[in-house]
Amino acid sequence: MRVGLHALGIGDGARPEVIRAVAAAAERHGFARLWCGEHVVLVDASASRYPYSVDGRIAVPADADWLDPLLALTFAAAVTSRIELATGVLLLPEHHPIVVAKQAATLDVLSAGRFSLGVGVGWSAEEFAALGVPFAGRGRRAEEYLAAMRTLWAEDPASFAGEFTRFDAIRVNPKPLRGGRLPVVVGGNSDAALRRAATLADGWYGFNVPAAEVPARIAVLADECARHGRALDELTVAVALSDGTPEHLPALDAAGVTELVVVGAPPPAPEAAAAWVAEIAQTWMRR
């Protein structure tokens, strides 16, 4: 099982010297992938429920630095050469699909084909309101945007007509390096997210999932794959645990997890951040 690290872009992990230290150390210690999440907007008092904690509240303070994930990963790409990169996740319905298609392909080119686009539909109604995007229908919007982006990556010129976006005979370059295709991972723990992963994506990213619940979530994913004529092993299955220890790794492997993602906040000093990565590697990457 691969081990990824979700640690960049927030708080001390938003500082360039810490990103450089964490990315270089993660590559040196053999981590498979660096993950970076997104919120464009946070509010001091949110009425929306955060779906990845028991109390329904996000742990990140509203006034914390939170980098744009595509820019943060571009910086990480420039200080590494082998480790893979992924958004975990970019909130796709909040963005214009043509712009995201160009940005994602640009990052893929600059990283020499190391990038996977992780997408989600979002949970904060306040964030959507601030951006002027309807909260209702965001799942349909994300699915259509993904279809439009894949058209842009594969065709030149490209045309698309849908409910939320349309374009005719346009050219958007560069193209992703892997034959006009960029790996897409769908994030989210709900049945709807698992359905999207099974029908539309190359992988699934479960976030803050209790270790005991991972097999059941993967079983739902497998059922959705079978229902739509796919095999589970066609997808990557990445999971970040809300609990658990390295002793859970054999059970996770048996359940079908292909990548265990360790989530954490690095310390502010670059030298301490490098040591922090080394400690995580020693804990989770047992030979």
Side-chain angles (χ1 to χ4, degrees), residues 72-156:
L73 290 172
T74 299
F75 186 91
V79 299
T80 57
S81 60
R82 299 182 310 279
I83 194 167
E84 296 175 26
L85 312 161
T87 48
V89 291
L90 182 134
L91 304 175
L92 184 55
E94 295 182 353
H95 301 277
H96 197 292
I98 297 176
V99 176
V100 175
K102 189 177 188 76
Q103 291 173 327
T106 298
L107 175 49
D108 192 56
V109 168
L110 292 177
S111 66
R114 290 185 280 147
F115 178 58
S116 295
L117 180 65
V119 299
V121 302
W123 54 270
S124 171
E126 292 89 348
E127 183 169 16
F128 277 76
L131 294 168
V133 179
F135 189 64
R138 64 195 185 281
R140 295 198 325 276
R141 186 181 295 269
E143 292 172 9
E144 182 179 301
Y145 281 5
L146 180 55
M149 290 161 55
R150 282 187 162 143
T151 300
L152 290 166
W153 292 331
E155 300 177 14
D156 196 28

Side-chain angles (χ1 to χ4, degrees), residues 137-215:
R138 64 195 185 281
R140 295 198 325 276
R141 186 181 295 269
E143 292 172 9
E144 182 179 301
Y145 281 5
L146 180 55
M149 290 161 55
R150 282 187 162 143
T151 300
L152 290 166
W153 292 331
E155 300 177 14
D156 196 28
S159 299
F160 185 90
E163 178 184 1
F164 303 106
T165 189
R166 61 182 58 235
F167 46 83
D168 183 51
I170 64 172
R171 298 182 186 272
V172 177
N173 289 300
K175 304 299 185 191
L177 294 183
R178 285 156 283 191
R181 182 174 176 83
L182 194 65
V184 172
V185 176
V186 167
N189 303 343
S190 67
D191 287 355
L194 294 167
R195 177 187 56 78
R196 289 189 188 97
T199 56
L200 302 174
D202 305 287
W204 172 60
Y205 180 29
F207 187 75
N208 259 20
V209 185
E213 296 181 11
V214 171

Side-chain angles (χ1 to χ4, degrees), residues 8-9 12-24 67 72 75-76 79:
L8 301 181
D12 290 324
R15 298 172 56 198
E17 62 272 26
V18 173
I19 295 175
R20 184 182 293 108
V22 168
L67 300 183
F75 186 91
V79 299

Side-chain angles (χ1 to χ4, degrees), residues 224-244:
E224 289 289 350
C225 285
R227 187 173 293 114
H228 294 92
R230 301 185 73 185
L232 179 62
D233 61 11
E234 294 179 36
L235 276 67
T236 59
V237 178
V239 173
L241 301 176
S242 63
D243 56 10

